[in-house]
Structures are given as structure tokens and as C-alpha cells.
Amino acid sequence: MKIETKFNVGDAVYVCRNDSTYEEEQCKICEGTGNVILKGKSFCCPECQGNKFTYTKKVRRFTPEIRTIRKVIVSISNSNGNIQVHTRYETKLNHHGSIAEYRNIMFATEEEAEYRCKELNGEIIKVPNAMMIKEFADRIKVSPAEIIKWLFLRGKAVSNNSVISFEDMKEFADGYGFICEKEEEESIDG
């Protein structure tokens, strides 16, 4: 039995490295001062205990990174006459010296890895051919007023409930570092 693998030992591949971090949020009670003033007296904020921040939230961030295949592991199973081949690739991390395992997240080109990282980072937004401005604003987390202003400067008078075309969504989102792609339309079988 001859088994073909996608990658071989020594091949350079690209992976999506998880560079997620934690981001602090300013305390809403003391507005980031660490103190509250009551009747002219300053007290340590009861919400953040003077730290100025209430909590940290995890911000997912993936970046492409080049690795080298160090080991290809192939396993074969036979279940009720169906032969299944499973392939696993391992790379060695230079700075840790440990083995990392990757399944379905290795790419032959940096462009493929960059695209997948953008998907994981939420920078690629699937939108229909047209949608209301306020719905589009919610998806890319900007103020509807920003979109309305942008359209107005292009000679289009609109409101929150106006419809924005795919072409306009794509162009606007590009300025904010997002990529708009058309949603796949569901076919209706009659």
C-alpha cells in the first residue's frame, strides 16, 4: 500500500500561532482613577480596589509562523472493512525544544496561513448582497454614524435603516482592516 502525505519531513509549512493576550478594562465606577470621592473625601474604589482596572478580557490574536516538519506519523485503521488513513505532523519549536502537534492548521503557503489567521481573528466577515446599515455596523463593531458619514461623502444620503450594498460594505470594511466576503446563499428546493 502506497500512502501519499500532504507534507514530508523537512518541508517548510506555515501555521497559525496563537498570540492571544489579555486586555485590561478601565473601571467604570472610578473611571480609571482608583478612587471615588464622596462628600469631598477620597476613598479607594470598592469595585477595583484602587487598581484602576476591573478585569482583563482575552483578546484572540493569531499570526502566521513558519515551521519545519520533523516527524510524519501515519496510522491505519480498519473498521468494518473500511480502511482509514490518519496522518499527523509534528514540528519542533526552536525556542522551547518541544514537539508541537498540528492537525488541519498547516499550510503550504504564507498567504493561506494569513487568510486562516484573519478568519480566526474575526477579520473576515461574511455578509449578504445587501443589509441594513445598523446591522452591518454591529457586525464590524463601528458606529452607524461612521458608515453614514462615509457614504455621505460619496454622495449617498442614507440613515440607520437604509440598505448598504455588498460593494460599499467591502470598500468600507477594507478601511477598517476587515475583509468582507459574500455569504453563501442557501438554495431552496421546491
Side-chain angles (χ1 to χ4, degrees):
M1 172 185 260
K2 185 176 180 179
I3 299 172
E4 294 288 328
T5 59
K6 185 175 180 181
F7 302 110
N8 296 308
V9 172
D11 285 353
V13 295
Y14 292 88
V15 298
C16 294
R17 189 173 105 195
N18 187 347
D19 285 332
S20 297
T21 60
Y22 288 91
E23 189 176 88
E24 295 179 320
E25 186 171 279
Q26 185 178 358
C27 179
K28 290 179 176 53
I29 303 291
C30 67
E31 297 175 338
T33 63
N35 300 308
V36 290
I37 298 173
L38 183 66
K39 295 183 180 181
K41 294 188 178 185
S42 181
F43 298 95
C44 182
C45 177
E47 182 70 21
C48 68
Q49 279 78 41
N51 292 327
K52 302 178 184 179
F53 300 98
T54 51
Y55 67 89
T56 58
K57 63 181 179 178
K58 190 169 187 174
V59 178
R60 291 181 64 196
R61 196 88 208 129
F62 292 88
T63 55
E65 180 177 270
I66 192 165
R67 301 277 176 88
T68 302
I69 301 289
R70 301 289 181 210
K71 191 186 279 189
V72 179
I73 302 165
V74 178
S75 60
I76 301 171
S77 63
N78 185 352
S79 175
N80 298 331
N82 294 326
I83 296 175
Q84 294 182 336
V85 178
H86 303 279
T87 308
R88 192 174 82 200
Y89 302 94
E90 292 181 350
T91 63
K92 186 175 279 191
L93 300 175
N94 295 335
H95 57 284
H96 293 325
S98 62
I99 299 292
E101 181 182 313
Y102 296 94
R103 291 187 189 112
N104 301 323
I105 59 168
M106 290 185 160
F107 305 96
T109 67
E110 188 173 11
E111 291 79 21
E112 292 174 309
E114 284 176 356
Y115 183 84
R116 181 63 181 138
C117 288
K118 286 181 180 187
E119 282 182 324
L120 293 169
N121 292 334
E123 296 170 23
I124 297 178
I125 302 162
K126 303 279 187 185
V127 294
N129 283 331
M131 66 189 309
M132 288 175 42
I133 288 174
K134 64 182 177 184
E135 292 172 348
F136 178 60
D138 287 343
R139 286 217 189 158
I140 63 170
K141 296 175 179 49
V142 299
S143 163
E146 285 288 319
I147 299 169
I148 292 168
K149 177 183 171 186
W150 183 83
L151 288 167
F152 180 76
L153 293 172
R154 282 157 180 72
K156 299 177 183 179
V158 295
S159 69
N160 278 345
N161 295 327
S162 297
V163 173
I164 184 171
S165 70
F166 175 77
E167 290 75 24
D168 285 338
M169 287 187 276
K170 186 174 174 73
E171 189 177 340
F172 180 83
D174 186 51
Y176 281 80
F178 292 98
I179 298 170
C180 275
E181 292 184 348
K182 285 188 181 179
E183 288 178 344
E184 290 187 24
E185 296 179 18
E186 294 180 19
S187 62
I188 301 171
D189 295 329

